[in-house]
Amino acid sequence: MLKEPILLTEDSVRYAMLGGSILGGGGGGAAESGEQTGRLAVQFRDLYLTPLDEIDPDAVIVTASMVGAPAAKERYVAPADMMRCMELFIQQTGITPGGIVTNENGGSSTFNGWLQASVMGIPLLDAPCNGRAHPTGVMGSLNLHRNRDYVTTMTCVGGRKELGRHVECTFTGSITHCSKLVRGAAVEAGGLVAVVRNPVSARYLKEQSAQGGVSQAIEIGHIYAEGLDRSPDYAVHAVAEALGGEVLTRGIVEAYHLQSQGGFDVGTVKINGYEMSFWNEYMTVDAPDGQRIGTFPDLIMTFDARNGRPMPTSDLNPGQDIYLMHTSYRNLRLAAPMFDKDLLAEVEDIIHRPITAYLNF
């Protein structure tokens, strides 16, 4: 965990992209677009990743996120859309944020908030709502869904204008209902929207966030990048060791099924008899004998064996040669919603597999 601000460089962007992709656990958005956003942010002005302890406890902090289905063919968010999201939020609330955090880690989502922080000159905080990627907005909402008196404002922008799919929306209300409305807006936009949401004090954020989550992504990405200089095999095993996990197998994708529904990607993957289910992110992995090995919020991740690219669930193909890695949730930086069994029980209705029976917290 950071003790003092660090200057984010071009190298930091590459490490954050690689580490974010790995901690995305199969989701977390497209690494290519995330890296582009990160480079733009660090080129605009000096941008620092700042520990939460450096911030006035009463400062108002907002969350930046992307919401959508990674496999959607018409998904599109431009840098201008990210800034427009912030503009709408300030217009609606009258709040000029004193800092910004990302909702989660992922190849793209680790970079949520970087551009807004750089352009506006506000702190980018090392306190994401979650240190790994997750499917629903509520899972990245700092446990605010438990406070019935909390009223959020969420703004979202995205979609190609030339296709008639560009949307700009502002929603005010409960976390649960606004999150559903944002998801619906993402569907109408072609599969993706940028979001600014959930103003809270830095004091509250300190209690509820996954502090150190972004710096962990950069650290993991650095280890992985150095490993790739030797070979993909070395890199995958090095990062599994760094995360306290293991490489379960390497083999050919025997079966792959993906369906985009309601703004999510849902499906299954089989490799060497191992079967993984996913809801954007990998939710479960079962061994060839049917024994459950890993259950969300554990981190389950795949890598292209040829070039070492961390492979999200949306990009796999039958016949592809991949590594399969798993590590316990205990080795990640996670926030309270990852331990909310009511939220995790909702996963069962989507993937049609038991979840809560395998949770040991």
Side-chain angles (χ1 to χ4, degrees):
M1 190 180 301
L2 291 182
K3 299 299 183 183
E4 59 185 23
I6 61 168
L7 178 66
L8 296 169
T9 64
E10 298 275 348
D11 284 340
S12 305
V13 171
R14 181 173 182 239
Y15 300 151
M17 179 271 292
L18 287 170
S21 295
I22 293 165
L23 293 171
E32 296 80 7
S33 63
E35 188 173 24
Q36 290 172 3
T37 300
R39 291 190 185 283
L40 185 60
V42 301
Q43 289 168 1
F44 186 84
R45 71 168 57 160
D46 284 351
L47 178 64
Y48 290 83
L49 182 63
T50 302
L52 195 52
D53 286 341
E54 295 280 321
I55 302 299
D56 180 346
D58 293 322
V60 177
I61 312 301
V62 296
T63 297
S65 72
M66 296 281 184
V67 171
K73 302 303 181 185
E74 294 183 353
R75 67 185 188 277
Y76 178 78
V77 168
D81 295 330
M82 302 175 197
M83 297 310 303
R84 176 60 175 159
C85 237
M86 183 65 84
E87 181 182 15
L88 287 173
F89 180 87
I90 294 171
Q91 288 176 354
Q92 176 67 24
T93 64
I95 296 170
T96 299
I100 193 165
V101 296
T102 182
N103 63 310
E104 63 179 16
N105 269 317
S108 175
S109 55
T110 294
F111 299 99
N112 292 336
W114 287 39
L115 185 62
Q116 295 96 319
S118 182
V119 172
M120 297 182 63
I122 62 176
L124 174 68
L125 300 175
D126 188 21
C129 301
N130 196 7
R132 59 148 303 149
H134 50 259
T136 70
V138 176
M139 290 180 179
S141 291
L142 302 168
N143 236 22
L144 292 168
H145 68 291
R146 291 293 187 187
N147 181 356
R148 293 188 177 184
D149 295 328
Y150 181 79
V151 177
T152 189
T153 293
M154 300 186 185
T155 56
C156 61
V157 181
R160 291 189 179 274
K161 292 181 179 179
E162 62 269 27
L163 298 179
R165 305 207 71 155
H166 187 77
V167 301
E168 297 185 359
C169 304
T170 301
F171 302 114
T172 300
S174 72
I175 292 285
T176 300
H177 289 95
C178 287
S179 294
K180 291 177 180 178
L181 290 168
V182 167
R183 180 67 58 176
V187 173
E188 295 304 316
L192 188 67
V193 288
V195 183
V196 172
R197 67 188 189 204
N198 302 351
V200 296
S201 68
R203 181 181 291 102
Y204 180 87
L205 189 68
K206 188 172 184 177
E207 298 172 354
Q208 298 293 340
S209 65
Q211 289 191 67
V214 175
S215 54
Q216 184 184 40
I218 294 173
E219 177 185 356
I220 291 299
H222 194 178
I223 292 168
Y224 196 66
E226 290 186 337
L228 286 175
D229 289 339
R230 298 182 59 170
S231 71
D233 183 78
Y234 184 88
V236 172
H237 283 85
V239 84
E241 180 180 356
L243 284 168
E246 62 178 327
V247 178
L248 297 177
T249 190
R250 172 187 173 177
I252 302 300
V253 175
E254 303 160 355
Y256 172 63
H257 174 74
L258 178 150
Q259 182 178 5
S260 291
Q261 55 186 52
F264 295 96
D265 293 338
V266 182
T268 56
V269 185
K270 290 185 179 180
I271 168 179
N272 284 350
Y274 289 84
E275 181 174 83
M276 297 87 80
S277 66
F278 61 86
W279 184 23
N280 282 12
E281 291 74 28
Y282 289 113
M283 295 289 115
T284 63
V285 56
D286 295 330
D289 64 2
Q291 179 181 351
R292 176 66 59 84
I293 296 176
T295 303
F296 185 89
D298 283 359
L299 185 71
I300 304 159
M301 189 56 191
T302 45
F303 303 80
D304 191 310
R306 297 168 303 168
N307 56 25
R309 179 193 171 202
M311 291 300 299
T313 58
S314 59
D315 291 0
L316 293 171
N317 293 290
Q320 187 175 10
D321 186 6
I322 63 172
Y323 290 95
L324 172 62
M325 185 199 78
H326 164 260
T327 192
S328 168
Y329 69 88
R330 296 184 180 89
N331 301 318
L332 309 175
R333 304 286 174 85
L334 302 179
M338 291 295 93
F339 306 100
D340 186 329
K341 292 188 176 181
D342 290 339
L343 291 181
L344 298 176
E346 297 175 7
V347 178
E348 297 177 334
D349 294 333
I350 303 297
I351 65 171
H352 306 295
R353 285 167 173 75
I355 292 288
T356 56
Y358 290 96
L359 300 177
N360 56 4
F361 49 77

